[in-house]
Amino acid sequence: MSRVESLLRSMTIEEKIGQLNLVTAGQTVTGPVVHVETTAEIRAGRVGGVFNLWGREAMAAAQKLAAEGTRLGVPLFFGLDILHGHRTIFPIPLAEAGAFDPLLWERTARVAAIEAAHEGVSLTFAPMLDVARDPRWGRIAEGPGEDPLVAVKMAEAKIRGFQDRALEAPTSIAATAKHFCAYGAATAGRDYAAVDVSERALHEIYLPPFRAAVEAGCAAIMPGFNSLAGVPMTAHARLLREYLRRDLGFDGVIISDYTAIAELIEHGVAGDLTDAAALALRAGVDMDMMSMAYVRRLPEALARGLVDLADVDAAARRVLLLKERLGLFDDPYRSIAAGEYSRAAHRELARDAARRSITLLSNDDILPLSADVRRIAVIGPLADARAEMLGPWYSAGAAEDCVTILEGLRFALPNCEVVFHAGAGIEDDDASGIAPACDMAAGADVIVLCLGEAEKMSGEAASRAMIGLPGRQRELAERILATGVPVVALLSSGRPLAVSWLVERARAVLATWFLGDMAGHAIADVLTGRYNPSARLAVTWPREVGQIPIFYASRSTGRPWNADNRYTSRYLDLPVEPLFPFGHGLSYSHVVLSNLRVAPSDISADGTVEIVIDAQNIGAFETEETIFVFVRDVVASIARPLMELKGWVKIVFSPGESRTVALTLSADSFSFPDENMKPKIEPGQFEILVGLDADRKNLLATVLNITST
Ligand code: NOJ
């Protein structure tokens, strides 16, 4: 009999339930403070895993209590949110998504896993796979952006990076795909709010990343805080038990979100904590994070017949199997993971990831900075804001490891005079610094204006109804723009900001998001032209809040927008188009595409097609270009989105270089869920659209026929 089975046999019901309990150690606070005597609970055998704890000593002390101080010595696992690096902090996921580079996504996760495993962490609550189309929602910062294919690719890459080839490898950590599912569709972008999306939207947009996560062998899944059409995800038996377990065959651990089981009462589907515990367990939630509902109430729920012992056994078995897979029974301290690693190499990767995540939104011939620039005024509250560079969810990252924008520029331009004034705070109302900042800026050759959000303004519980610049920053910017000195504006933020007015008037605008430890160096690399910007927007950038939700893959209407016809789908006071489309991002070079063709032009439902295009770099810089392939099913039984991303190719072009670029798609890329949500290909015409962003006007188009035979 396997170790796990014989262990299960020797466990009391209380010990089994203890395995289902996940409690915080409070080294970092990621939810409401709930009073739990962690040490006493571990000693009593009532804890299966501990989170928010890292560092060898702390971890070993807790592990000793479990592995050496409880009757059966079942080791704990240690969980932590590692969204974009552990010690070494990389760009926030939304920014890194813009690199459109699965290999980079995997490498940063691998490094994070190495650093975290080194400090005793065995599981992370990542990757976050919530497709999000509403930048009011602060958690858009944590995920892959608006597109399901990007989310799928990110799921695969991050899980490979965290888990590596096998979980028992000393530097592997278990990944938790979250938040299952559609949490990103929170009503009006308000965190934790209810979600009500169609079954079709689930199957087309929100479920595919989780399917990919399961196929990639993800060890755990976390249901979201949200309800879905009235059913909280923590109690969603149909999606957890039927879809994940039965249909996808997911056999890993389902871990509740923080106090989410107790919240079933507030949702209005459970009368008390016993009810809540029973609902969650019956739905398939194996572990209870911070509700203490399982340890306190499952015994009663069992006695009252609300749950079966078989459900407790199955959940405990999955937790024990995870520990077995992690090698914790043989090496509870994961001592071999403690080997050294090169922090310098990790920081080098952080710099590369950061510059590959910077999106050049506009550039009126001011960047890269000319060699003649002698005096630069660095102005704004984000210019020298070390801690803000980390962004939300910075795990064990430290402000002192961050390079500020000011430092990066001074380091990169030793022969320039680089003067600095914050001008204003990020959020406060004090405008007294604006005039001195303008005085300082007046004599400069160029102003680098560093604006944006504080890191705590995105991530969890950080929704914003107005997504402009907070505090007095707009006033600062207007006054700086009025000096007449050319302005390069940098936007540090966890979301697109509504700043059309700035884009109209600044000579260049860059989305610098939250780039992590090496922010300053990476930004200097881009401004000076040492690195030619290559990132693309993984999310549509709105002009104003009123356009939200806004995303490229919308459906047509019976009355598509037409500026000359009032009775079409439009606003009276704003264009329908975004400020910048999905995929937008400039470089210092210019690649032109021509001669799009498909071969063959007719395929059958089991065929493949090669999409081919000629591309030439007509600029003077080496450039890394991302070429997107979108598809539109022209006539279908169910109206299809105007465009759906089906793939992309990233290519480095030397100056002047011409290349023929090809991407192969199989016919199943052209399928969509039928009325039973099963994939179906309807023969007919498909438009193939290829280009550098999702603005239809910029795309080349051709037609592919899928035949019925
Ligand atoms: C709540 C968040 O929703 C979730 O993403 C996170 O993993 C847990 N807190 C634990 O910190």
Side-chain angles (χ1 to χ4, degrees):
M1 191 188 312
S2 75
R3 169 155 51 189
V4 164
E5 287 309 318
S6 62
L7 197 53
L8 261 181
R9 288 208 177 174
S10 51
M11 285 174 125
T12 64
I13 291 178
E14 283 70 27
E15 282 166 336
K16 289 175 187 170
I17 294 175
Q19 287 303 307
L20 313 185
N21 194 22
L22 179 58
V23 295
T24 176
Q27 190 168 345
T28 176
V29 177
T30 59
V33 176
V34 179
H35 189 69
V36 177
E37 292 286 351
T38 303
T39 309
E41 293 292 326
I42 300 174
R43 271 212 188 94
R46 281 199 293 265
V47 175
V50 169
F51 70 107
N52 287 351
L53 181 73
W54 66 92
R56 288 246 138 219
E57 269 176 37
M59 183 273 295
Q63 189 65 299
K64 195 162 186 265
L65 296 174
E68 296 172 36
T70 57
R71 188 177 78 93
L72 294 171
V74 179
L76 302 165
F77 70 75
F78 294 92
L80 191 65
D81 293 286
I82 303 172
L83 272 300
H84 53 115
H86 179 59
R87 286 269 167 201
T88 306
I89 302 302
F90 300 106
I92 54 166
L94 181 62
E96 202 193 31
F100 284 92
D101 185 350
L103 194 58
L104 178 71
W105 302 336
E106 178 180 340
R107 288 174 67 210
T108 54
R110 185 83 290 278
V111 162
I114 291 169
E115 294 188 356
H118 181 83
E119 299 197 63
V121 174
S122 35
L123 175 142
T124 178
F125 308 120
M128 193 275 212
L129 301 175
D130 296 316
V131 171
R133 296 170 167 190
D134 189 334
R136 291 172 298 187
W137 193 52
R139 305 201 77 169
I140 199 170
E142 295 173 47
E146 75 179 49
D147 185 73
L149 181 69
V150 178
V152 161
K153 299 284 176 208
M154 205 171 215
E156 295 166 351
K158 290 291 176 198
I159 290 163
R160 267 199 310 274
F162 287 131
Q163 300 194 166
D164 208 7
R165 276 172 300 276
L167 271 190
E168 67 268 19
T171 61
S172 292
I173 59 175
T176 309
K178 69 185 189 184
H179 305 87
F180 185 77
C181 71
Y183 182 32
T187 305
R190 223 169 50 247
D191 206 4
Y192 315 126
V195 171
D196 210 337
V197 297
S198 68
E199 193 66 16
R200 174 158 301 283
L202 282 184
H203 284 267
E204 292 186 3
I205 302 163
Y206 299 107
L207 292 173
F210 290 94
R211 173 191 282 270
V214 172
E215 285 168 3
C218 193
I221 291 182
M222 181 187 289
F225 282 127
N226 57 297
S227 62
L228 187 58
V231 183
M233 285 310 307
T234 307
H236 211 302
R238 185 172 66 80
L239 283 174
L240 299 178
R241 271 198 195 273
E242 292 179 23
Y243 179 76
L244 279 184
R245 294 254 187 249
R246 187 196 64 199
D247 299 350
L248 300 188
F250 176 63
D251 60 359
V253 180
I254 297 184
I255 303 178
S256 91
D257 205 341
Y258 200 115
T259 59
I261 297 181
E263 289 166 25
L264 293 176
I265 301 171
E266 199 66 49
H267 271 290
V269 297
D272 59 24
L273 198 61
T274 309
D275 245 10
L279 269 178
L281 188 74
R282 286 206 310 265
V285 176
D286 299 314
M287 288 196 90
D288 169 1
M289 181 193 285
M290 289 309 285
S291 292
M292 300 300 280
Y294 282 3
V295 275
R296 292 190 183 147
R297 300 300 180 87
L298 278 186
E300 180 197 332
L302 277 166
R304 286 170 50 199
L306 300 178
V307 291
D308 293 335
L309 189 54
D311 291 332
V312 174
D313 281 348
R317 180 178 290 110
R318 282 192 281 261
V319 174
L320 295 174
L321 281 170
L322 172 66
K323 294 179 178 183
E324 173 92 313
R325 286 178 70 200
L326 283 164
L328 288 168
F329 288 109
D330 297 318
D331 180 13
Y333 301 97
R334 297 196 102 200
S335 36
I336 32 179
E340 286 311 307
Y341 59 81
S342 158
R343 191 68 196 279
H346 293 182
R347 280 174 77 76
E348 231 0 88
L349 178 63
R351 181 174 183 156
D352 195 40
R355 57 195 191 182
R356 287 153 68 80
S357 302
I358 295 170
T359 331
L360 179 60
L361 297 172
S362 64
N363 182 18
D364 180 13
D365 220 17
I366 181 93
L367 291 176
L369 292 173
S370 140
D372 300 335
V373 168
R374 284 285 152 261
R375 185 179 154 95
I376 300 179
V378 180
I379 306 291
L382 271 306
D384 201 27
R386 200 174 301 287
E388 307 300 343
M389 299 296 103
L390 293 168
W393 295 112
Y394 47 80
S395 191
E400 59 267 26
D401 290 334
C402 290
V403 180
T404 71
I405 301 171
L406 180 65
E407 285 169 342
L409 282 171
R410 286 201 166 132
F411 187 82
L413 298 165
N415 301 324
C416 273
E417 187 190 359
V418 180
V419 296
F420 160 67
H421 201 295
I426 298 178
E427 285 183 90
D428 61 58
D429 207 29
D430 181 1
S432 61
I434 295 181
C438 290
D439 290 346
M440 180 178 276
D445 297 326
V446 62
I447 298 170
V448 176
L449 184 57
C450 305
L451 305 169
E453 302 180 306
E455 62 83 8
K456 67 175 178 2
M457 297 175 77
S458 54
E460 188 181 349
S463 295
R464 297 183 64 205
M466 268 127 60
I467 57 168
L469 292 169
R472 304 298 282 265
Q473 291 187 67
R474 177 161 183 175
E475 193 179 329
L476 169 68
E478 302 266 11
R479 301 261 298 273
I480 287 288
L481 287 161
T483 60
V485 178
V487 170
V488 172
L490 309 181
L491 298 172
S492 297
S493 66
R495 52 163 67 78
L497 298 175
V499 288
S500 315
W501 56 272
L502 178 67
V503 172
E504 272 164 29
R505 294 172 56 198
R507 289 282 298 275
V509 179
L510 296 97
T512 54
W513 315 103
F514 294 117
L515 293 173
D517 285 356
M518 300 298 268
H521 288 321
I523 289 168
D525 285 343
V526 166
L527 298 189
T528 57
R530 273 172 221 166
Y531 183 80
N532 185 4
S534 59
R536 304 291 179 256
L537 292 175
V539 63
T540 302
W541 195 292
R543 292 169 196 272
E544 291 292 344
V545 166
Q547 294 182 310
I548 296 170
I550 185 166
F551 49 96
Y552 81 86
S554 57
R555 286 188 162 79
S556 186
T557 97
R559 295 182 174 191
W561 167 64
N562 172 348
D564 303 326
N565 183 350
R566 177 171 184 135
Y567 295 98
T568 60
S569 182
R570 51 184 286 203
Y571 298 110
L572 293 180
D573 48 2
L574 212 63
V576 291
E577 294 132 325
L579 188 59
F580 300 112
F582 172 90
H584 173 75
L586 306 174
S587 80
Y588 299 143
S589 218
H590 189 50
V591 167
V592 224
L593 303 178
S594 60
N595 194 19
L596 172 66
R597 60 254 190 220
V598 289
S601 56
D602 290 32
I603 62 170
S604 59
D606 57 0
T608 58
V609 59
E610 195 175 36
I611 296 156
V612 185
I613 196 157
D614 297 333
Q616 187 183 11
N617 177 9
I618 57 167
F621 285 78
E622 178 180 288
T623 191
E624 183 171 324
E625 197 48 75
T626 307
I627 300 172
F628 296 100
V629 176
F630 300 97
V631 163
R632 179 180 183 194
D633 188 342
V634 183
V635 177
S637 55
I638 289 157
R640 303 302 305 143
L642 290 169
M643 292 196 291
E644 291 177 273
L645 183 65
K646 294 298 174 186
W648 66 86
V649 186
K650 270 183 99 72
I651 302 218
V652 177
F653 292 87
S654 8
E657 185 180 351
S658 294
R659 299 266 292 260
T660 297
V661 179
L663 180 90
T664 303
L665 292 179
S666 61
D668 55 16
S669 295
F670 302 87
S671 71
F672 62 88
D674 67 11
E675 51 287 358
N676 300 312
M677 300 302 135
K678 299 279 172 266
K680 147 184 184 194
I681 303 172
E682 285 184 358
Q685 285 199 339
F686 291 79
E687 232 180 333
I688 308 289
L689 301 137
V690 179
L692 307 180
D693 63 40
D695 183 343
R696 169 100 213 195
K697 295 191 294 296
N698 301 335
L699 297 169
L700 298 179
T702 187
V703 171
L704 170 75
N705 289 303
I706 299 196
T707 59
S708 48
T709 50

